[in-house]
Amino acid sequence: MKTIYTVFLLLLLLSCTSSSEKLAWEIANNSQTNKKELTRFLEHYKTNKDKDKYKAACFLIENMPNKYSINGKEQKIYDIDIVKADSLIKSLEHSFFLKEKSPYLKNYTFEQFCEYILPYRVADESLQYYWKWDCSRKFEKQCTNDIIQTAQNINAQIKIELSPEFYKDTLKSYSSIIKTGYGKCDDRTALVTMALRSVGIPAAFEFVPYWGSNNNGHSFVSIILPDNKIYPLQNTDKQANGDYYLSRKTPKIYRKMYSIQDLAKHIDNIPELFRHNDLLDVTKLHNIGSCDVTVSTNINKEKENFLSVFSPKRWVPVAFSSSQTFHHIGTGNIYNVDRNKEAIDLGDGIVYLPTHWVNEEAIPIGSPIIVSEDSVREIKPDTKHLERVVCKRKFPLNMRIVDFSKLMIMGVFEGANKADFSDATELYKITKTPESKMQKIEISAEKAYRYIRYRKPKGTFSIAEFCLYQSDEKLLPFHPIACDAIYEDSTMLNIFDGQPLTYYQVSGGIDLWVGVDLYKPVKISKIGFAPRNDDNAIVSTDTYELFYWQDQWISLGRKRPIGDSVVYDNVPQKALLWLRNLTKGREERPFTYENAGSRSVFSCLWEQPPLEFCEINGLEAHPGTAVAAKYLCLEVKADQYARALG
């Protein structure tokens, strides 16, 4: 099948003089496995003498060789080998019914109709033709005279529970998505695209292959307007403009097309992303910054070139070029969105690595570059000049995580000796946003208490961890207790399990509390607690390893933290760095720092140093340097660091 597929695809790409009709019939007649069904489909519309339907049928067949779905054994099943004429006919007829009856399609061209309404599939989901009429029946009540309003109505009706546990799964079938109601972004995007097309709204499956500031990628739906402009939909059931789904740094945005594209010619040694010639680069259509980038390295021009972004496992190709110039490369900017919306003090730009693709691996062909709105900058380590680096986190502090911490503001820890807390005494009140990690609060009270609780009088009740310490730092044994509204909820025990990533959260509005029974009155030395968090702060019991990039990742050694930070001396200046947690976790990003002579530049801080500190020590606060992904990393000389902490 692979040889036949390759021959057909080359025919499609190279036969400039062949008509759509000729190509379609060549493909059908040369099929060794499915000639009967393919030719019967074409013959049906040729004999009916409906020129538009025949043209549409030829369009489907001539672009079919690169379409496939993946079975349970991770094998590709190509449509050209299995499609049935009757199913294709029924699907085509329904599309033309929409073309005649839908009020939305009057201003669209025939070519737009063929691309965004006619196809029997959306992406590489399992082949099920009936979604067209089934979706039409399910969502026809959401239709209005306004195409945008209708799309928003349908989007709001589609309730899919998204979960990271499905990230590695292949795209689910239509029936599976409908039946289970859960999946990943791709599953929801496919379903929304199907639903919109089923009522005559041209829609496209669009996606970010991999974020420039986070692990994994993303997908979403764009409505295609008559002038080929787009209206993106948020990948949620909330009715909102889709520009806001791009809340992270975006290197590239592609659209899944039915018609064969010429983004990358079919070459065996090419990343999977570009192998099937079904991608249209739509980066420039979206509300993000982009620019053309010329890579100034000695590139073998006979090979295809790629720009790759960082992942903890390997560099991931996201952009293709047959020359040294790459077009429409994301700069990390999101227009009309607060720069701090994604993460606290995240630096400018996105880091890319120029690569070739050899034996299914991205092989570097130059130094990493940071592409920002204003510049393209190479990152080369200065191994002759070394610096101390103190790291407080291994991943940017996402604003979503900060918002979880804010939910604990005005929460109160109370001590009592009566089980009903009628004699409660306030021990500590959270008056500002707590840190997104486990923290200890010293208690000055001399009185001993049997019962200690955390209470949130109003608002959302949210907490990840709660424990108590004696003066010798030993944890106190206890029996969990809670108010009646919480007590019977077994997930409440997440608060006491010692696991930072588990939590208990419930909508508030009433006075809620959880606590402990210490069995007898005890003097408390410290209260330990953690908001709902990402567990990316430095943990004293974990082992870390710092790397810098010089043609490959070079280790600077493994270390245990000192307190809540991990410290490395003799780190090359101006290097791209990567801190790994060898004990647990998967969220990690590269970062940079700079030192100009005797002055350190704060290029990767979560928090700015106090202005007076900068003035006293001759330091410059400079968050605006082009940094790919910055996290809590205080870069100052040893004596300055001592003063900073002191």
Side-chain angles (χ1 to χ4, degrees):
M1 174 60 212
K2 184 176 181 181
T3 302
I4 297 171
Y5 165 71
T6 302
V7 171
F8 288 161
L9 190 57
L10 288 173
L11 279 172
L12 295 176
L13 294 173
L14 301 176
S15 301
C16 299
T17 59
S18 299
S19 66
S20 174
E21 180 183 11
K22 182 179 179 180
L23 283 172
W25 279 100
E26 281 182 358
I27 291 169
N29 285 317
N30 284 285
S31 174
Q32 296 182 2
T33 58
N34 204 27
K35 177 180 177 179
K36 180 181 178 181
E37 296 293 330
L38 297 173
T39 55
R40 188 160 74 87
F41 173 61
L42 291 174
E43 191 66 36
H44 176 82
Y45 287 106
K46 187 176 183 178
T47 56
N48 284 352
K49 298 183 179 181
D50 187 318
K51 292 183 178 180
D52 280 349
K53 289 183 178 180
Y54 182 50
K55 185 177 179 181
C58 290
F59 171 85
L60 289 176
I61 300 300
E62 70 169 312
N63 292 286
M64 191 178 288
N66 67 333
K67 304 300 181 292
Y68 67 92
S69 52
I70 301 174
N71 64 14
K73 299 179 180 180
E74 299 295 312
Q75 297 172 322
K76 292 179 181 177
I77 308 298
Y78 286 90
D79 294 3
I80 204 77
D81 294 326
I82 64 170
V83 293
K84 301 298 182 183
D86 289 342
S87 297
L88 290 175
I89 290 169
K90 190 172 182 180
S91 175
L92 188 148
E93 291 296 328
H94 184 81
S95 297
F96 272 83
F97 169 79
L98 292 171
K99 186 175 183 295
E100 295 298 320
K101 301 297 183 181
S102 173
Y104 313 125
L105 291 173
K106 294 179 180 179
N107 297 320
Y108 287 86
T109 66
F110 186 76
E111 289 72 25
Q112 290 173 314
F113 164 78
C114 287
E115 189 68 65
Y116 303 116
I117 297 293
L118 175 67
Y120 54 88
R121 68 157 62 251
V122 168
D124 58 358
E125 75 277 8
S126 295
L127 199 55
Q128 293 180 329
Y129 308 89
Y130 77 97
W131 61 264
K132 283 193 176 184
W133 42 94
D134 194 59
C135 276
S136 182
R137 176 180 57 81
K138 290 180 184 297
F139 297 106
E140 60 183 359
K141 293 182 180 179
Q142 305 300 325
C143 294
T144 70
N145 293 327
D146 185 88
I147 188 171
I148 301 298
Q149 185 61 57
T150 299
Q152 290 179 333
N153 291 347
I154 291 174
N155 190 46
Q157 288 297 309
I158 296 178
K159 315 277 187 188
I160 301 295
E161 185 173 345
L162 306 177
S163 175
E165 66 183 281
F166 306 118
Y167 284 171
K168 295 182 180 180
D169 294 351
T170 57
L171 192 60
K172 297 180 184 296
S173 66
Y174 169 74
S175 61
S176 179
I177 303 171
I178 292 293
K179 182 179 180 180
T180 63
Y182 61 78
K184 57 182 179 178
C185 289
D186 288 358
D187 298 312
R188 190 181 192 280
T189 298
L191 182 56
V192 174
T193 304
M194 291 175 182
L196 294 176
R197 290 182 179 183
S198 75
V199 298
I201 297 178
F205 184 115
E206 300 190 340
F207 67 99
V208 179
Y210 211 86
W211 293 115
S213 54
N214 208 309
N215 301 336
N216 301 308
H218 184 55
S219 62
F220 54 91
V221 179
S222 282
I223 302 169
I224 311 301
L225 301 175
D227 59 359
N228 283 320
K229 293 182 179 178
I230 58 172
Y231 184 90
L233 289 173
Q234 184 136 315
N235 208 351
T236 174
D237 56 16
K238 297 179 180 178
Q239 295 187 20
N241 190 308
D243 280 344
Y244 295 102
Y245 63 81
L246 295 174
S247 59
R248 294 172 176 164
K249 295 186 177 185
T250 307
K252 272 290 181 182
I253 305 175
Y254 294 107
R255 180 181 298 167
K256 281 282 199 181
M257 303 289 284
Y258 186 84
S259 61
I260 290 180
Q261 302 298 301
D262 199 25
L263 180 65
K265 294 180 180 179
H266 186 77
I267 302 171
D268 287 336
N269 189 26
I270 199 169
E272 177 68 22
L273 175 66
F274 304 103
R275 270 178 203 167
H276 299 281
N277 292 80
D278 60 352
L279 298 186
L280 180 67
D281 187 347
V282 294
T283 308
K284 64 180 180 181
L285 297 179
H286 288 266
N287 197 31
I288 64 171
S290 66
C291 65
D292 294 345
V293 174
T294 299
V295 181
S296 59
T297 56
N298 295 322
I299 295 178
N300 183 348
K301 296 183 179 180
E302 295 180 357
K303 291 188 175 182
E304 314 303 319
N305 306 311
F306 304 91
L307 287 181
S308 299
V309 294
F310 172 87
S311 93
K313 293 183 177 180
R314 62 179 185 176
W315 292 92
V316 179
V318 295
F320 164 84
S321 178
S322 55
S323 71
Q324 292 178 276
T325 299
F326 296 83
H327 299 287
H328 311 304
I329 301 302
T331 63
N333 276 32
I334 308 169
Y335 300 131
N336 302 322
V337 177
D338 188 344
R339 290 174 63 90
N340 293 325
K341 189 176 182 66
E342 180 180 357
I344 293 177
D345 210 16
L346 195 65
D348 293 340
I350 298 175
V351 65
Y352 297 92
L353 182 68
T355 61
H356 281 160
W357 188 254
V358 181
N359 297 325
E360 300 298 310
E361 291 287 338
I363 306 301
I365 56 175
S367 299
I369 59 174
I370 293 175
V371 180
S372 63
E373 199 76 0
D374 302 321
S375 66
V376 177
R377 180 167 68 94
E378 284 190 333
I379 312 174
K380 294 183 177 181
D382 183 354
T383 56
K384 294 182 179 180
H385 297 88
L386 308 176
E387 186 70 276
R388 162 174 284 200
V389 174
V390 180
C391 300
K392 299 274 188 181
R393 286 182 60 87
K394 66 179 181 68
F395 193 79
L397 185 56
N398 191 283
M399 290 302 301
R400 175 173 172 266
I401 301 300
V402 176
D403 289 340
F404 290 144
S405 294
K406 291 180 179 179
L407 295 176
M408 293 194 72
I409 296 175
M410 303 311 293
V412 181
F413 292 94
E414 298 174 331
N417 284 307
K418 294 182 179 180
D420 63 358
F421 284 87
S422 58
D423 62 340
T425 299
E426 182 178 301
L427 302 177
Y428 179 74
K429 188 174 186 177
I430 303 172
T431 58
K432 60 181 181 180
T433 305
E435 294 184 81
S436 298
K437 65 177 184 179
M438 194 68 191
Q439 48 217 282
K440 297 178 183 179
I441 304 297
E442 292 189 8
I443 302 300
S444 58
E446 293 293 327
K447 187 176 179 181
Y449 297 99
R450 174 174 173 173
Y451 306 99
I452 307 291
R453 71 178 180 181
Y454 170 71
R455 183 170 69 92
K456 187 73 184 299
K458 59 181 180 179
T460 300
F461 186 92
S462 178
I463 183 171
E465 287 297 315
F466 177 25
C467 59
L468 301 169
Y469 298 89
Q470 296 178 325
S471 57
D472 57 2
E473 291 290 316
K474 289 185 178 179
L475 288 168
L476 285 165
F478 59 80
H479 175 72
I481 57 177
C483 63
D484 291 340
I486 293 177
Y487 189 74
E488 294 185 359
D489 188 345
S490 60
T491 59
M492 178 269 291
L493 297 176
N494 289 344
I495 301 170
F496 309 104
D497 64 359
Q499 302 296 319
L501 289 175
T502 63
Y503 61 92
Y504 183 79
Q505 184 167 310
V506 63
S507 298
I510 59 173
D511 197 331
L512 300 175
W513 63 267
V514 296
V516 299
D517 179 357
L518 299 171
Y519 306 106
K520 63 179 182 180
V522 179
K523 286 187 178 181
I524 308 300
S525 175
K526 295 179 180 179
I527 295 175
F529 75 92
R532 182 177 172 182
N533 66 95
D534 58 2
D535 197 25
N536 285 318
I538 299 300
V539 180
S540 61
T541 55
D542 292 352
T543 301
Y544 295 85
E545 187 172 11
L546 185 66
F547 298 84
Y548 73 94
W549 180 268
Q550 192 171 40
D551 299 325
Q552 61 181 344
W553 290 113
I554 299 173
S555 176
L556 291 167
R558 300 182 177 188
K559 286 191 175 184
R560 283 287 185 91
I562 302 173
D564 62 352
S565 61
V566 58
V567 181
Y568 278 87
D569 293 302
N570 302 316
V571 180
Q573 294 185 10
K574 301 179 181 179
L576 185 68
L577 302 175
W578 172 26
L579 183 67
R580 296 201 66 186
N581 186 330
L582 303 178
T583 305
K584 64 178 186 296
R586 66 181 187 89
E587 291 185 320
E588 297 160 0
R589 301 301 303 174
F591 65 99
T592 65
Y593 74 98
E594 296 179 4
N595 182 277
S598 62
R599 303 197 333 153
S600 293
V601 177
F602 292 79
S603 61
C604 14
L605 291 174
W606 284 127
E607 300 177 359
Q608 288 289 359
L611 186 60
E612 60 270 22
F613 173 76
C614 297
E615 293 175 348
I616 293 172
N617 293 283
L619 303 178
E620 180 183 359
H622 191 57
T625 56
V627 178
K630 301 184 294 189
Y631 54 89
L632 189 56
C633 188
L634 189 59
E635 302 124 9
V636 295
K637 295 182 178 179
D639 62 334
Q640 298 168 336
Y641 176 66
R643 286 198 293 268
L645 295 185

